[in-house]
Amino acid sequence: AQKVTQAQTEISVVEKEDVTLDCVYETRDTTYYLFWYKQPPSGELVFLIRRNSFDEQNEISGRYSWNFQKSTSSFNFTITASQVVDSAVYFCALSASGGSYIPTFGRGTSLIVHP
Amino acid sequence: SAVISQKPSRDICQRGTSLTIQCQVDSQVTMMFWYRQQPGQSLTLIATANQGSEATYESGFVIDKFPISRPNLTFSTLTVSNMSPEDSSIYLCSVDNWANGYEQYFGPGTRLTVT
């Protein structure tokens, strides 16, 4: 069985603050993928990043960065200098060979960035 | 990446009626997925649809309530039958890309309100 936990239900910050969204996962598989998706108020899910289980290298893309640590089964997402347009629900997801690579989604973290 | 469209984008329906949601992909795909997202909740997989075979339903979802068609490699429909207010949700169609780590691409969703 696989599981994704996003303990933060809602985070509220002021523009330009840095914010980290936590994601903890569980799987017995050694081959798996981790994802982050953004769902703005319009409702459409936007893919942000994919990481495979063999690549623990952290990634930075503009103001976004991701910290993947297998030792703690975490795949955290940091937004630097947050902006109002970052306000959305963010979902972490896991797909693994044991689950036929069908993703399991966390409950999502609602990020509200105030001007 | 795949481009996915859904029809209708939203609808308000009466209790006891049925609604068919269409999902069109701009490329041929083997598997298509249908998700439900209830208000403020995460995504829940309803079923996986392969072309030429019966859909595979997740626990808690049955074919009589959510019949699915998959007539070809670019199209699928999901019907929500005998609707009740509890069926008010966003319904999302998606496909995956096994060549890209099973990254999922989502349609814009159908917002259904049942009164």
Side-chain angles (χ1 to χ4, degrees), chain A residues 33 35 37 39-45 47 50 91 95 100-103 105-108, chain B residues 31 33 35 37 41-43 45 48 90 92 96 100-108 111:
Chain A
Y33 296 89
F35 307 86
Y37 289 87
Q39 188 177 41
S42 60
E44 188 161 355
L45 276 155
F47 166 80
R50 177 192 74 251
F91 291 97
S95 67
S100 301
Y101 293 107
I102 296 174
F105 286 83
R107 296 178 61 86
Chain B
M31 294 171 69
F33 306 87
Y35 288 86
Q37 185 180 23
Q41 301 297 313
S42 185
L43 283 75
L45 182 65
T48 303
I90 298 174
L92 293 146
D96 69 3
N100 244 3
Y102 298 91
E103 181 180 314
Q104 291 242 330
Y105 307 116
F106 287 87
R111 289 180 182 268

Side-chain angles (χ1 to χ4, degrees), chain B residues 58-97:
Chain B
E58 297 298 303
S59 175
F61 297 96
V62 295
I63 188 171
D64 290 344
K65 175 68 175 177
F66 297 101
I68 288 171
S69 78
R70 183 76 202 276
N72 58 51
L73 290 173
T74 63
F75 187 78
S76 178
T77 67
L78 168 76
T79 298
V80 186
S81 303
N82 188 25
M83 287 184 285
S84 67
E86 292 70 35
D87 294 320
S88 297
S89 296
I90 298 174
Y91 291 86
L92 293 146
C93 169
S94 77
V95 303
D96 69 3
N97 183 345

